Amino acid sequence: MEVLKTYKLYIGGQFPRTESGRSYAVLSQSGQHIANACQGSKKDVRNAVQAARKAQASWAAKTAFNRSQVIYRIAEMLEARKGQFLEELQALGSDLKSATQEVETSIDRCVYYAGWADKYQALLGTVNPVASSHFNFSVPEAMGVVGVVACQQTALLGFISQVLPAIIGGNSVVVIANQKLPLCAITFAEVLATSDVPGGVVNILTGSVEEMLPTLSGHMDVNALSLAQLDSAILEKAQTEAVENLKRVMSYSIDFSHTTAQGLSYISDFQEIKTTWHPIEQISGGAGGY
Amino acid sequence: MALSMIDLTTLEGKDTPGKVRQLCFKAQHLHDQTSDLPKVAAVCVYPSMVGIAKKALGDSGIKVASVSTAFPSGQAPFSVKKDDTLFALENGADEIDMVISRGRFLAGDYQFVFDEIAAIKELCTSARLKVIFETGELDSLDQVRKISDLAIAAGADFIKTSTGKIQPAATFPVVLTMLGAIKDHFDKTGQMIGMKPAGGISSAKLALQHLLLVKEVLGEAWLTNEWYRFGASSLANDLLLQYQKHLTGKYQSAAYFSID
Amino acid sequence: MSNTTWNLDPSLESTALVQIKPQYELFIDGKWQAPLSKTYFDSINPADETHLAKIAWANQADVDLAVRAARTAYTNVWSQLSGAERGKYLFRIARLMQEKARELAVLETLDGGKPIREARDVDVPLACNHFFYYAGWADKLLEAFPGQNPVALGVAGQITPWNFPLLMLAWKIAPALACGNTVVLKPAETTSLTALKFAEICQEAGLPPGVVNIVTGYGDTGAALVAHPDLDKIAFTGSTAVGKQIQKACIGTTKKLTLELGGKSANIILEDAPIDQAVEGVINAIFFNQGHVCCAGSRLFVQESIATQVLDKLKFRLQSIYVGNPLDKNTDIGAINSKKQLQTIERYIQLGLEEGAEIYQPTCELPSAGYYCKPTLFTDVAQSARIAQEEIFGPVLTIQTFRTIEEVVQKANNTPYGLAAGIWTDKGARIFGVSQQLQAGVVWANTYNKFDPASPFGGYKESGFGREGGLHGLRAYLKFPN
């Protein structure tokens, strides 16, 4: 008799059950009952945001090189667990070929974003030639805590495509996983837990998007939202709630399974720009200025 | 050498005469199973325990250092700090470890801080005065250098990093900055000032690194317990463990050394 | 326990994990091949003059084989791979280097004489990180140069120096491969071993044969490489004299060229600088890696009002510098790389005395065998003195005073070199004001000798042209046809 896995939430680097004590059935495409997943609640969202906020400052303070090494490690761990993901994807109804494509693209996407960690600054940052004796420079900075509603079309790739560009730039995330296909997200949490990713940088909730999203989109300590392929009514509701603390809302309708659904713009979507001025002393006869 | 420089310390709200007596015994008998071990330099306690410590240490040669001036916060009127110090001295303290008024210092009230140190120094007569900066509450190394120069000018015999109650405490940049102040003062006046890093030095390895810093920045004249102390409680045992390893080649277990 | 004088016991790094072969061949087309020249030369350990290995000496025919292999690999394999795939090879190499970090560090120390602490804590980590960094650019070139159509150059000939053998190899090979080029690299003759170990790592990484080729030899091997007609690019790090020869040799060809040459960098302490910090910075600037650094802060300028104070502190600080066995973890200054270099340094020290400068050296014992030099300060140095103008490339610091910022900027720039400069001051506006005026490719403010794969490095004027590191470092290995 096998020992079956309980699919729990991933918050603050740990795997707690939902505080609401509820679960829901995860079905394959053909309607087979595969597993039970936690049905996350408002309080779980609250706890996740708290964990994300706690972890964010020190994650952003790590050197860019350090962050890139951590994301490479995710790629390594993902590669090592390839078999596990293939099994889950097939159980959920994918055929082997598509599943393999999805996992391999996911691994490649991890490597791709890991490489950006210490490079996007060179492209998004600038030294600005102002018309006064000042050294003026702009640098990108993480926005903070990003709420994510993962792509509801794919089980793994969409999730990765939204989470990685946000965290590579120093943000922490709270993700509401694909409601119907949540298993890969939680198995991915296991990858994160073994990848030197500090607890709280990525937090994953499973359950009803409609139930949990309002808490996330209305939460005053969430700085931005990454929303994929939402029903327009739900999207509009979320955008309206986001206005309260001026969340930056990014809505994606792209098909993340394309190998080109990645790029610098996904990172810059979650970066603020800070511009600093400092006087340049005029040597030989000039004033100091201010 | 490192063992002989330790101020063995207990500064807890729950200290009792019994606890202090035990500590004083340990100070004299670090590990009787090992031969030729030195005694520690001093035992450091609250004023209320000075009398107990003095009696327990007898004529062992180990000094009694007392914290005072409303240690650890220093937030009390001067009369309280004065009484605190006098009480310790009357009970036989050989050394006084005072705290500066960090709040006043950060507010820029340097004259006040200076006067306080000078006043306590005056009470000390033959006792030596260590001035604690609580560097973990100070903002920057500039502050650390400033308070070092100020305390030395006001009459400190020793300058000390921390109360041991908060982190960060005796980090290398802070210690190096303080040693720089001591060196510059010596170069200008020929007068030696003592150094006491306290808090966070719990391993023999760290202690050795600190000693090397002193050797290279100040010179060997400072490598005696007359001019250098470690404010530590668990360091002694790690030194003992490492010394045993050095003698026997085997890594040791804490189970073989008494805590106090 | 009485208080006695104590000194540090030697703390030697073990060489047990390093296996040096008695003889090394050339690495061409993914295989070890005996040189057509049938000639080998000796490599010795400058710390004690013991023999390390025999190294193959490539002649023109060998170089030709290597370039052909690189060309074939470029045309048939490397240029057909996507950026992401090239990146993956580079990640593998980076990871293998990291796994063999200790071995590489010990090898570097044995071969070149640099202290093990530096090889272990600076050279090797920076080299690994350089590969990690450029691996990530390989599939992002279109985003790095949007609308500019970046394309690889083809085959690059690269010549690296003996002062940071593995690190300079990383600075050359990583960006070249990331941009889609293949390479033939010639390491300096006194330090071939880490390059040869790197070749083994390329094999272990499964790098397609011919993408990286290592041809060892002396200057003639390098000249043969530079002269080879089928190269699209030459990259050289070394002396200005040889750099000029190379630039001349490229005339009339379509070879793109980048040069990273010598320097005589000014390190400037203003009166408001945090003195203790500045003194440490000066020590690091000139004595790091025995002063064998192209960007070494070899000319110290101190504002006259603090000159005595700074000089006293410098002299005191020299007393705690340990010169000795490079394998000893306590060592600050290791062995001079070769007898030839030691002779050059000693000649300059003699010259300094003849030019009337005042010398200061701490009292310390040097090992009896091997090539060693005490850290040396010269004061009372005139701007026109040869020791203040010519690159010594050793642990020798010339010290001059100045009165105004305008004066020191003028003096700092008064040199054909322009690699680096240091400025020590507490005033931000002054940092920007002075750095704006300094003719140097790298300016360090309140620090010195800081390197990072993401930070572009290179010189002005006769210190060379082109940049290595960062986004800018990609340009050396791409063309932008319209």
Side-chain angles (χ1 to χ4, degrees):
Chain A
M1 221 177 85
E2 301 164 66
V3 179
L4 295 173
K5 180 156 79 173
T6 308
Y7 285 86
K8 298 192 278 179
L9 308 175
Y10 181 61
I11 299 180
Q14 318 233 303
F15 291 88
R17 286 175 209 277
T18 164
E19 62 76 43
S20 66
R22 307 170 299 171
S23 64
Y24 69 104
V26 177
L27 307 176
S28 74
Q29 234 167 39
S30 52
Q32 223 191 332
H33 182 191
I34 311 194
N36 293 329
C38 286
Q39 188 168 352
S41 70
K42 286 194 283 209
K43 291 199 180 157
D44 294 317
V45 174
R46 176 201 64 192
N47 294 342
V49 172
Q50 232 170 12
R53 175 59 65 195
K54 198 161 160 209
Q56 195 269 326
S58 53
W59 173 242
K62 283 189 187 304
T63 63
F65 176 73
N66 201 266
R67 284 201 298 279
S68 79
Q69 293 279 292
V70 171
I71 309 302
Y72 285 142
R73 189 112 181 110
I74 294 180
E76 285 178 12
M77 295 294 105
L78 199 48
E79 180 82 61
R81 285 177 184 252
K82 199 162 154 181
Q84 197 177 347
F85 282 98
L86 287 177
E87 253 183 58
E88 266 173 11
L89 284 169
Q90 287 175 94
L92 291 168
S94 190
D95 61 281
L96 180 58
K97 184 156 176 260
S98 317
T100 307
Q101 172 88 331
E102 187 170 348
V103 178
E104 283 178 0
T105 308
S106 298
I107 295 171
D108 284 350
R109 198 149 288 173
C110 283
V111 173
Y112 173 80
Y113 278 116
W116 265 126
D118 49 5
K119 299 176 183 62
Y120 69 84
Q121 301 83 338
L123 295 174
L124 297 181
T126 54
V127 172
N128 310 309
V130 296
S132 53
S133 186
H134 287 90
F135 182 68
N136 179 306
F137 57 103
S138 301
V139 294
E141 278 188 7
M143 282 181 179
V145 175
V146 179
V148 179
V149 173
C151 161
Q152 303 286 310
Q153 262 72 53
T154 58
L156 178 63
L157 185 53
F159 174 98
I160 290 204
S161 305
Q162 288 171 269
V163 167
L164 287 185
I167 65 175
I168 205 68
N171 298 289
S172 58
V173 298
V174 174
V175 190
I176 301 176
N178 183 321
Q179 184 168 338
K180 292 214 190 87
L181 316 168
L183 303 185
C184 288
I186 296 302
T187 306
F188 186 72
E190 291 170 24
V191 168
L192 292 173
T194 52
S195 298
D196 298 329
V197 178
V201 173
V202 179
N203 305 275
I204 304 172
L205 307 168
T206 53
S208 159
V209 171
E210 210 175 332
E211 185 187 334
M212 290 191 283
L213 179 54
T215 312
L216 199 55
S217 56
H219 199 303
M220 298 296 274
D221 202 23
V222 169
N223 305 102
L225 296 175
S226 167
L227 308 172
Q229 295 108 355
L230 284 185
D231 168 82
S232 56
I234 299 181
L235 175 61
E236 200 180 312
K237 183 156 178 283
Q239 285 171 319
T240 311
E241 273 147 10
V243 169
E244 197 63 34
N245 68 333
L246 232 64
K247 286 182 187 62
R248 290 83 163 105
V249 181
M250 306 295 158
S251 175
Y252 303 106
S253 49
I254 190 171
D255 181 356
F256 284 114
S257 58
H258 282 162
T259 48
T260 53
Q262 58 189 31
L264 181 58
S265 61
Y266 292 91
I267 299 176
S268 69
D269 277 352
F270 298 102
Q271 294 291 304
E272 293 292 342
I273 299 294
K274 172 183 286 173
T275 301
T276 307
W277 297 64
H278 195 297
I280 299 177
E281 185 177 37
Q282 294 294 296
I283 317 286
S284 46
Y290 69 91
Chain B
M1 182 196 287
L3 280 171
S4 71
M5 290 169 166
I6 293 181
D7 282 0
L8 210 53
T9 305
T10 183
L11 294 167
E12 296 181 9
K14 57 184 183 174
D15 282 341
T16 64
K19 169 109 197 274
V20 173
R21 273 194 280 269
Q22 265 181 267
L23 192 71
C24 291
F25 185 83
K26 169 84 175 175
Q28 301 170 76
H29 302 270
L30 284 170
H31 193 242
D32 285 341
Q33 293 92 324
T34 312
S35 52
D36 291 330
L37 287 181
K39 298 188 195 128
V40 300
V43 164
C44 188
V45 292
Y46 272 110
S48 51
M49 295 289 148
V50 170
I52 312 275
K54 198 73 190 170
K55 192 147 167 243
L57 289 171
D59 56 2
S60 62
I62 300 177
K63 308 258 193 302
V64 176
S66 174
V67 297
S68 86
T69 65
F71 177 100
S73 75
Q75 296 277 15
F78 184 70
S79 55
V80 169
K81 299 187 184 185
K82 182 173 166 195
D83 286 342
D84 208 13
T85 308
L86 285 174
F87 180 79
L89 290 167
E90 278 155 22
N91 278 269
D94 303 294
E95 301 173 355
I96 296 291
D97 287 25
M98 71 169 281
V99 289
I100 61 159
S101 298
R102 280 87 74 193
R104 292 286 203 142
F105 178 72
L106 289 171
D109 218 335
Y110 305 126
Q111 192 63 49
F112 179 89
V113 176
F114 180 97
D115 290 339
E116 227 178 27
I117 298 172
I120 299 293
K121 170 74 179 167
E122 218 181 336
L123 298 173
C124 281
T125 56
S126 59
R128 295 180 87 198
L129 177 64
K130 300 192 199 98
V131 179
I132 305 174
F133 300 155
E134 196 65 316
T135 53
E137 286 179 352
L138 302 179
D139 217 2
S140 65
L141 295 177
D142 292 322
Q143 303 277 39
V144 173
R145 178 65 199 235
K146 196 185 293 187
I147 185 62
S148 300
D149 290 335
L150 191 156
I152 291 174
D157 295 305
F158 260 79
I159 51 177
K160 177 172 166 182
T161 59
S162 329
T163 62
K165 296 300 177 194
I166 63 165
Q167 287 291 321
T171 62
F172 283 114
V174 160
V175 168
L176 185 57
T177 305
M178 289 166 72
L179 292 177
I182 294 175
K183 176 83 171 55
D184 283 349
H185 181 76
F186 179 75
D187 284 343
K188 274 205 202 93
T189 67
Q191 184 193 23
M192 287 172 76
I193 303 290
M195 174 70 195
K196 178 173 172 181
I201 307 180
S202 52
S203 72
K205 187 169 175 184
L206 273 175
L208 281 180
Q209 288 169 338
H210 276 279
L211 289 176
L212 187 58
L213 206 55
V214 174
K215 177 181 150 79
E216 292 195 352
V217 177
L218 295 178
E220 300 201 6
W222 269 264
L223 288 175
T224 85
N225 62 16
E226 199 183 328
W227 299 106
Y228 194 81
R229 301 282 178 84
F230 287 112
S233 29
S234 49
L235 174 62
N237 272 4
D238 195 58
L239 285 167
L240 292 171
L241 258 74
Q242 299 312 321
Y243 188 56
Q244 273 298 310
K245 160 143 199 305
H246 178 67
L247 291 176
T248 64
K250 301 194 182 111
Y251 286 105
Q252 299 294 310
S253 154
Y256 296 87
F257 302 84
S258 67
I259 299 176
D260 56 18
Chain C
M1 255 178 215
S2 63
N3 301 298
T4 51
T5 302
W6 49 270
N7 289 301
L8 299 173
D9 280 341
S11 175
L12 296 177
E13 181 71 38
S14 156
T15 55
L17 80 170
V18 163
Q19 274 162 338
I20 302 181
K21 301 194 272 207
Q23 180 169 296
Y24 286 87
E25 314 299 344
L26 305 172
F27 184 68
I28 298 179
D29 205 24
K31 314 188 280 290
W32 295 103
Q33 303 189 26
L36 295 171
S37 70
K38 298 199 196 329
T39 324
Y40 297 81
F41 62 93
D42 293 317
S43 186
I44 61 153
N45 180 350
D48 57 13
E49 301 173 78
T50 54
H51 180 262
L52 291 173
K54 286 200 170 300
I55 312 285
W57 193 333
N59 65 10
Q60 193 176 35
D62 293 308
V63 168
D64 185 55
L65 267 186
V67 175
R68 282 176 197 277
R71 175 63 63 190
T72 309
Y74 172 75
T75 312
N76 299 347
V77 181
W78 202 238
S79 64
Q80 308 300 311
L81 292 180
S82 68
E85 287 170 298
R86 288 200 306 270
K88 284 194 185 164
Y89 280 111
L90 289 168
F91 290 144
R92 264 194 217 171
I93 290 174
R95 194 169 303 116
L96 286 169
M97 284 174 73
Q98 224 169 33
E99 285 170 14
K100 298 172 198 296
R102 187 54 53 95
E103 194 184 340
L104 286 167
V106 173
L107 204 53
E108 193 79 302
T109 288
L110 286 172
D111 205 10
K114 70 172 63 205
I116 185 64
R117 246 179 32 228
E118 284 174 14
R120 180 195 70 191
D121 295 343
V122 180
D123 288 60
V124 174
L126 278 176
C128 295
N129 298 359
H130 217 83
F131 275 96
F132 272 114
Y133 178 78
Y134 277 105
W137 271 125
D139 57 352
K140 303 176 175 67
L141 297 178
L142 290 178
E143 289 176 280
F145 302 102
Q148 292 172 60
N149 187 22
V151 168
L153 296 172
V155 181
Q158 305 176 318
I159 300 172
T160 49
W162 48 258
N163 59 349
F164 293 94
L166 184 65
L167 182 58
M168 291 301 104
L169 177 153
W171 281 23
K172 297 278 177 288
I173 295 187
L177 263 49
C179 291
N181 306 278
T182 57
V183 306
V184 177
L185 183 134
K186 187 207 97 64
E189 61 270 15
T190 55
T191 51
S192 315
L193 294 181
T194 42
L196 295 166
K197 183 77 197 169
F198 178 78
E200 284 176 30
I201 288 175
C202 288
Q203 281 179 314
E204 202 179 325
L207 190 66
V211 174
V212 167
N213 306 274
I214 311 280
V215 292
T216 45
Y218 275 70
D220 54 332
T221 311
L225 183 58
V226 168
H228 198 289
D230 194 28
L231 288 175
D232 303 290
K233 158 86 190 193
I234 306 280
F236 171 79
T237 298
S239 71
T240 294
V242 175
K244 289 180 179 175
Q245 286 171 21
I246 294 177
Q247 189 173 9
K248 192 152 172 219
C250 288
I251 297 173
T253 73
T254 53
K255 293 172 192 162
K256 290 214 176 315
L257 178 62
T258 48
L259 298 172
E260 209 273 275
L261 308 175
K264 190 75 177 175
S265 305
N267 205 353
I268 304 169
I269 305 184
L270 295 171
E271 63 193 356
D272 69 335
I275 306 285
D276 287 334
Q277 200 174 307
V279 167
E280 271 314 300
V282 167
I283 297 287
N284 175 263
I286 185 57
F287 300 128
F288 171 65
N289 201 35
Q290 295 74 252
H292 299 155
V293 188
C294 44
C295 50
S298 48
R299 285 186 295 158
L300 175 61
F301 289 96
V302 193
Q303 197 147 22
E304 191 171 340
S305 45
I306 51 165
T308 318
Q309 196 186 0
V310 169
L311 189 57
D312 286 342
K313 281 180 183 269
L314 270 174
K315 287 179 179 170
F316 180 75
R317 181 65 178 92
L318 281 188
Q319 286 167 31
S320 44
I321 301 272
Y322 295 90
V323 183
N325 183 350
L327 277 173
D328 188 341
K329 287 176 249 179
N330 295 314
T331 296
D332 296 313
I333 296 184
I336 302 299
N337 186 258
S338 65
K339 191 170 185 165
K340 185 162 160 242
Q341 188 58 32
L342 180 57
Q343 285 167 341
T344 302
I345 298 168
E346 283 170 348
R347 264 205 313 275
Y348 273 109
I349 293 180
Q350 183 56 34
L351 179 62
L353 293 168
E354 284 165 18
E355 287 183 319
E358 197 169 312
I359 191 173
Y360 177 81
Q361 289 178 325
T363 45
C364 59
E365 249 183 68
L366 299 179
S368 50
Y371 314 125
Y372 293 91
C373 178
K374 286 187 193 178
T376 306
L377 307 178
F378 273 111
T379 49
D380 283 335
V381 178
Q383 179 73 3
S384 54
R386 280 182 61 196
I387 58 167
Q389 294 187 358
E390 296 173 25
E391 190 181 30
I392 299 175
F393 221 65
V396 179
L397 178 66
T398 60
I399 305 178
Q400 296 165 258
T401 56
F402 67 94
R403 276 97 335 241
T404 66
I405 298 174
E406 197 177 344
E407 179 192 348
V408 74
V409 166
Q410 188 269 326
K411 286 195 160 110
N413 288 335
N414 177 222
T415 161
Y417 293 113
L419 188 47
I423 165 153
W424 300 84
T425 167
D426 248 0
K427 194 167 171 135
R430 191 151 294 162
I431 291 173
F432 295 126
V434 173
S435 73
Q436 221 176 31
Q437 306 227 332
L438 289 171
Q439 289 158 11
V442 181
V443 179
W444 282 297
N446 290 321
T447 185
Y448 210 95
N449 277 340
K450 289 279 175 256
F451 308 99
D452 191 278
S455 181
F457 183 92
Y460 280 34
K461 306 193 286 188
E462 290 188 27
S463 291
F465 41 78
R467 293 291 175 268
E468 294 179 291
L471 167 66
H472 299 266
L474 292 169
R475 291 183 173 274
Y477 291 99
L478 294 168
K479 59 186 177 205
F480 306 93
N482 24 15

